[in-house]
Amino acid sequence: MLELDERLQRLQAQMREWSGEVHRLALEVDASPENIEKLIELPALRYLATLLIPADRQPSPLRLGPHVYDGTRCIERVVAIEELASADAAAVLAAPGPSLSGVIVAQLADEEQKEWYYQRLLSAPRWTFFALTEPAQGSNAGQLTTRLHRDGDAWRLTGAKRYVGGAARADLGVVVARRSGGPLGVTAVLVETSEPGFAAVPLPTVGLRAAGLSAITLREVPVSEDRFLGRHLPATARGMNAVTRTFHQFRPGVAAMALGVARAAHKYVTDHRRTLRVAERHRLDELAARIHTVRRLVRLAAARVDADPTDGALGSVAKVRAVALAEQATALAPRFFGSGARLDHPLLDKLARDALGLEFMEGTSHMQKLSYVQSHLKGRLTGV
Ligand SMILES: Cc1cc2nc3c(=O)[nH]c(=O)nc-3n(C[C@H](O)[C@H](O)[C@H](O)COP(=O)(O)OP(=O)(O)OC[C@H]3O[C@@H](n4cnc5c(N)ncnc54)[C@H](O)[C@@H]3O)c2cc1C
């Protein structure tokens, strides 16, 4: 699985070609995330803006030679994301387009909802959001308190969300709320940010600053029933299970971002230290070998979830390993440049901050470890 077929090799080469421009803007957008406007003009961001929109719904999906790409398969996403994240992981998160909301839409939306959602995203580059995490309850879907409640004939959303990527820039997105008790009472709804009662503000952050993490307040936001995702599906398919499957699909991509950050740290050292002592050379070679091993795991996790969307166990392992690698690589790299390295080399400082952001995104390593121990006990982690 480490070797890419010709189709994915072409994609990787294209992303590599496009990544230079993304990299050139990385520090500028990190310093002032409002400079995002410069980023979204780049071909790489234009591609990311259509990622997860099925090719047969796009007027001009990315074509390379005889192949068409839309990122609806996880393996395609991890190949593209690793390359672009090695230029700037925050830029990957900052891209307009479906992102995490696109995964749940693909899973739960009916034909009418898909048509509406994809058309909105194809008519102009628009940001979307996926709001699960809450200020008091975190991202534990079982505990969420945002309510989807009846008000006469109408439905309304009331509650608060926090650390939601891109929400303050978005035009539309998905809010996960509780309609009734228990796991089946969890409901995902499509929401437009122009609705009365919806407010989102950017949060000050240390890492992945371009991603635009936001806090959302929902004050009796009206939602019509035709915006309830999964309305045509049995309750078991659209409740908490759907949220869990969404993360299973997305998590190998987060692991690929971390892998990209580790690569960027390694590359920075090789580019800026012409000569290395033997011990330094060994440390760098060891890091390169670990990057190679984790890449294999990330690709295996993506292939696993493509084969079975309910199987996120390997994705959890991949995320833990890739984030640990990013943290180790970004801690190691400054040691090649002396005690003031993070001041003298701002990119090394940014890479270390971004690695920590990835640790929290999509569940911390503690939570992933709990999840894969449970999978192991159920016998799902065999053959890895
Ligand atoms: C860059 C970024 C992007 C994000 N994007 C989004 C988004 O688009 N939408 C969204 O809804 N959310 C988003 N989030 C929020 C993110 O999903 C959550 O912050 C993350 O899942 C952590 O969950 P939590 O806040 O509930 O923390 P918790 O899971 O409560 O963890 C808090 C601390 O307690 C520890 N801990 C918790 N439980 C245990 C346990 N049982 N055993 C041991 N230790 C434990 C954790 O390791 C951690 O150190 C984003 C976060 C980041 C950093």
Side-chain angles (χ1 to χ4, degrees), residues 48-54 57 96-130 170-175 189-192 226-227 229 246 250:
L48 289 174
T50 60
L51 208 67
L52 282 157
I53 302 180
R57 292 183 186 263
S99 194
L100 194 50
S101 75
V103 181
I104 199 160
V105 165
Q107 215 188 125
L108 291 188
D110 62 22
E111 184 50 35
E112 194 186 315
Q113 291 166 334
K114 282 184 180 162
E115 184 62 17
W116 176 81
Y117 174 87
Y118 294 131
Q119 282 314 314
R120 293 275 281 139
L121 297 185
L122 288 167
S123 59
R126 293 179 204 279
W127 281 277
T128 64
F129 67 87
F130 175 84
D171 288 335
L172 69 160
V174 172
V175 173
V189 293
L190 286 163
V191 173
E192 286 187 272
D226 59 4
R227 296 286 159 84
L229 290 171
T246 298
F250 205 69

Side-chain angles (χ1 to χ4, degrees), residues 130 132-133 138-139 163 165 208 213 357 360 362-364 366-367 370:
F130 175 84
L132 169 69
T133 308
S139 55
Y163 311 122
L208 299 167
L213 293 200
F360 274 87
E362 291 251 342
T364 63
H366 287 137
M367 301 313 289
L370 277 176

Side-chain angles (χ1 to χ4, degrees), residues 2-173:
L2 183 60
E3 296 312 319
L4 301 179
D5 61 19
E6 186 262 345
R7 178 177 178 278
L8 291 173
Q9 280 175 24
R10 278 187 193 243
L11 179 70
Q12 185 185 45
Q14 182 63 77
M15 295 301 128
R16 210 163 270 176
E17 192 186 318
W18 283 344
S19 64
E21 290 174 294
V22 175
H23 185 65
R24 269 190 289 285
L25 286 171
L27 283 175
E28 194 180 323
V29 180
D30 183 59
S32 308
E34 59 279 6
N35 284 332
I36 183 87
E37 296 299 334
K38 293 188 185 171
L39 259 182
I40 65 171
E41 295 305 320
L42 302 181
L45 275 277
R46 285 175 181 269
Y47 162 67
L48 289 174
T50 60
L51 208 67
L52 282 157
I53 302 180
D56 58 4
R57 292 183 186 263
Q58 295 188 42
S60 50
L62 175 66
R63 282 178 203 280
L64 300 171
H67 309 295
V68 178
Y69 303 84
D70 61 8
T72 49
R73 292 184 63 232
C74 194
I75 187 69
E76 187 180 315
R77 293 198 297 279
V78 298
V79 169
I81 288 172
E82 182 197 329
E83 289 309 317
L84 297 175
S86 71
D88 182 9
V92 174
L93 286 171
S99 194
L100 194 50
S101 75
V103 181
I104 199 160
V105 165
Q107 215 188 125
L108 291 188
D110 62 22
E111 184 50 35
E112 194 186 315
Q113 291 166 334
K114 282 184 180 162
E115 184 62 17
W116 176 81
Y117 174 87
Y118 294 131
Q119 282 314 314
R120 293 275 281 139
L121 297 185
L122 288 167
S123 59
R126 293 179 204 279
W127 281 277
T128 64
F129 67 87
F130 175 84
L132 169 69
T133 308
E134 299 189 350
Q137 310 300 336
S139 55
N140 182 348
Q143 301 284 316
L144 60 83
T145 60
T146 295
R147 288 183 307 128
L148 181 62
H149 53 101
R150 255 198 194 285
D151 175 19
D153 287 344
W155 287 91
R156 295 191 184 275
L157 272 176
T158 299
K161 299 286 182 183
R162 205 166 167 84
Y163 311 122
V164 178
R169 300 176 183 138
D171 288 335
L172 69 160

